[in-house]
Amino acid sequence: MNGIDGDVLIAGGGVAGLSAAAILAARGFSVICADPVPPVTSPGAAGADPRSTAFLGPSVALLRGCGLWDRLGGEAAPLRVMRIVDAGGAAERRADFDAGELGAEPFGYNLPNWLLRREMVAHLEATPGARLLAPARVAGVVARADRAMVRLGDGESLSARLVIAADGRDSGLRAAAGIGARRWGYGQKGLVFTARHDRPHDGVSTEVHLTGGPFTLVPLPDDARGHRSAVVWMERGPRALELAAMPEQDFEAEMNARSAGVLGRLTLEGGRAVWPIVAQIADRLDAPRMALIAEAAHVVPPIGAQGLNMSLADIGTLADLLAAARDAGEDIGAPAVLARYHRARHGRVLARILGIDALNRAAMAEARPLRRLRRLGLGVLSGVPPLRHAAMRLGLG
Ligand SMILES: Cc1cc2nc3c(=O)[nH]c(=O)nc-3n(C[C@H](O)[C@H](O)[C@H](O)COP(=O)(O)OP(=O)(O)OC[C@H]3O[C@@H](n4cnc5c(N)ncnc54)[C@H](O)[C@@H]3O)c2cc1C
């Protein structure tokens, strides 16, 4: 075969792979995105992703640039204040980080993942140069001098200058390319669900510390039935499984006790899902004719809304490097181009993972002296404006 089927083939149609397809298509690349599972695009359907994603400023700019934000902006809940509540001591301690102190823009915007998939799929369907293949599993990649040959699960073959591995934390493409990954756990799991509440959230994302890991309520837009938030509740593994299996009434009693009443009475909306909490980094982000992005490259505990935001930073960097290479007449899948991507991202990703790792360990602290230290640190961080502003900017990426 002489012709090339696409400039870029993306293995994985999760939120990261779909975003990459939209962003690269907007930069003029022809893109094929393949996933063995067609994206689930309604909240109640089997296999729907119950999580939400808080997009921080740089990610919103990227989504705006490729036209996706026109579809998403109206459905998103703005996050104006990040509140940390330490309810574990004799007196409750609160720290507010208000985006208004840094400028007019909110910290970010929160959207349900099923809705992201629905809008991203619709956007790709309307984008010339982008093609979504699902169901289609990438079964093998062979790097040739001028292209990658991609074998699909049904035996069909496709070719592209570059393959992007966006096939998730257990990436088969990463393993087949011989790239190792370091993974470590925390003995924690994250319970994810939607809660309705009596009081409005007023654009405040609240992280409550009491026992176990943090309990975080992230605003969702109100609907006809009232106020809603997406909740991530981190706990030691066995306790998380116990909570997930409880009858609904008992679970509601537990979650109301754990939320310390910050938004009034909470009721459960829909199901509960459990995620293992791990950190992971791939040894390299490049292989012959392949670039690794998103969870195929890095995984972090879900605190500070960093996971997909780091993935969008991967995609933004890669899109810039590929466009520059193309404009300079270079082959976008050449080793030198992909090595630039590895150098631009790997160190930054590692630094951020280590930062989130430290925050997660501090959030988990159960021993009394460590809890005191956490409360003290929170007081200093929130009470000293220059430190508070620096922390906010760091969190924004
Ligand atoms: C509880 C929780 C809350 C989170 N909240 C936030 C947040 O607020 N903000 C944020 O930025 N991040 C957040 N994250 C992180 C974010 O959800 C993830 O980074 C993101 O969803 C992962 O996206 P992904 O596309 O890399 O992986 P996945 O969603 O796992 O997608 C991988 C895709 O690859 C496909 N695939 C697998 N094998 C193949 C193959 N051989 N060929 C083709 N396709 C294949 C799979 O079917 C799948 O669709 C959170 C994570 C968790 C666990």
Side-chain angles (χ1 to χ4, degrees):
M1 190 202 305
N2 291 322
I4 288 266
D5 294 303
D7 296 320
V8 181
L9 186 138
I10 300 167
V15 177
L18 294 172
S19 304
I23 289 164
L24 289 169
R27 303 291 287 264
F29 294 103
S30 60
V31 184
I32 303 167
C33 179
D35 197 298
V37 186
V40 180
T41 56
S42 63
D49 185 343
R51 291 173 295 179
S52 73
T53 299
F55 290 99
L56 305 176
S59 300
V60 173
L62 208 53
L63 296 176
R64 230 179 229 130
C66 73
L68 260 175
W69 198 248
D70 295 343
R71 291 174 177 274
L72 300 175
E75 310 269 6
L79 309 178
R80 301 186 196 287
V81 175
M82 302 289 193
R83 176 169 295 156
I84 301 180
V85 176
D86 197 326
E92 186 181 285
R93 188 180 284 242
R94 282 182 176 213
D96 275 5
F97 299 87
D98 188 335
E101 290 180 35
L102 297 182
E105 286 291 309
F107 283 117
Y109 295 87
N110 195 40
L111 285 135
N113 281 14
W114 67 264
L115 187 144
L116 289 172
R117 284 189 169 80
R118 184 186 76 192
E119 295 305 321
M120 287 176 175
V121 168
H123 177 82
L124 291 180
E125 278 169 0
T127 302
R131 196 150 55 107
L132 179 60
L133 295 182
R137 184 174 63 88
V138 172
V141 177
V142 177
R144 297 249 171 93
D146 66 339
R147 69 190 64 185
M149 296 305 303
V150 177
R151 189 167 43 82
L152 300 181
D154 64 1
E156 200 194 328
S157 245
L158 292 170
S159 60
R161 296 274 177 228
L162 172 68
V163 172
I164 293 182
D167 54 338
R169 53 180 70 183
D170 299 315
S171 170
L173 272 75
R174 182 184 67 221
I179 299 178
R182 272 176 290 161
R183 178 183 288 199
W184 60 99
Y186 301 88
Q188 285 175 306
K189 291 192 190 299
L191 266 168
V192 181
F193 53 92
T194 300
R196 291 196 171 271
H197 34 86
D198 299 340
R199 293 214 287 269
H201 49 58
D202 292 327
V204 181
S205 177
T206 309
E207 194 174 292
V208 186
H209 295 261
L210 185 59
T211 53
F215 181 103
T216 308
L217 295 131
V218 190
L220 288 170
D222 288 351
D223 66 4
R225 291 177 48 213
H227 313 303
R228 297 176 303 160
S229 290
V231 182
V232 180
W233 181 357
M234 310 238 290
E235 277 290 351
R236 299 270 166 209
R239 172 71 177 146
L241 293 175
E242 186 191 354
L243 286 162
M246 267 179 195
E248 197 165 311
Q249 252 189 340
D250 298 349
F251 178 74
E252 284 190 336
E254 295 283 347
M255 78 171 169
N256 274 290
R258 186 60 186 76
S259 74
V262 290
L263 288 176
R265 178 157 177 75
L266 302 183
T267 50
L268 181 66
E269 162 117 329
R272 289 158 265 175
V274 180
W275 254 266
I277 304 299
V278 300
Q280 175 171 291
I281 181 159
D283 296 341
R284 289 200 66 83
L285 303 183
D286 60 335
R289 297 233 163 245
M290 189 183 294
L292 271 56
I293 66 162
E295 290 209 332
H298 46 74
V299 184
V300 288
I303 52 174
Q306 298 290 317
L308 193 71
N309 284 281
M310 286 163 70
S311 308
L312 283 162
D314 298 341
I315 298 164
T317 302
L318 186 60
D320 286 347
L321 290 170
L322 296 183
R326 176 192 57 198
D327 296 348
E330 276 181 286
D331 172 356
I332 61 166
V337 176
L338 302 179
R340 267 172 234 151
Y341 167 65
H342 168 78
R343 283 197 301 273
R345 286 300 294 157
H346 196 264
R348 279 171 172 265
V349 163
L350 180 60
R352 195 144 284 251
I353 292 177
L354 295 178
I356 295 166
D357 173 85
L359 279 178
N360 192 39
R361 289 179 196 281
M364 283 168 75
E366 301 262 358
R368 190 172 292 232
L370 287 178
R371 275 188 10 215
R372 270 211 208 99
L373 199 64
R374 185 177 71 206
R375 283 165 73 79
L376 188 70
L378 190 60
V380 172
L381 201 61
S382 65
V384 182
L387 280 182
R388 188 169 68 238
H389 295 165
M392 289 196 272
R393 288 203 180 86
L394 199 64
L396 289 173

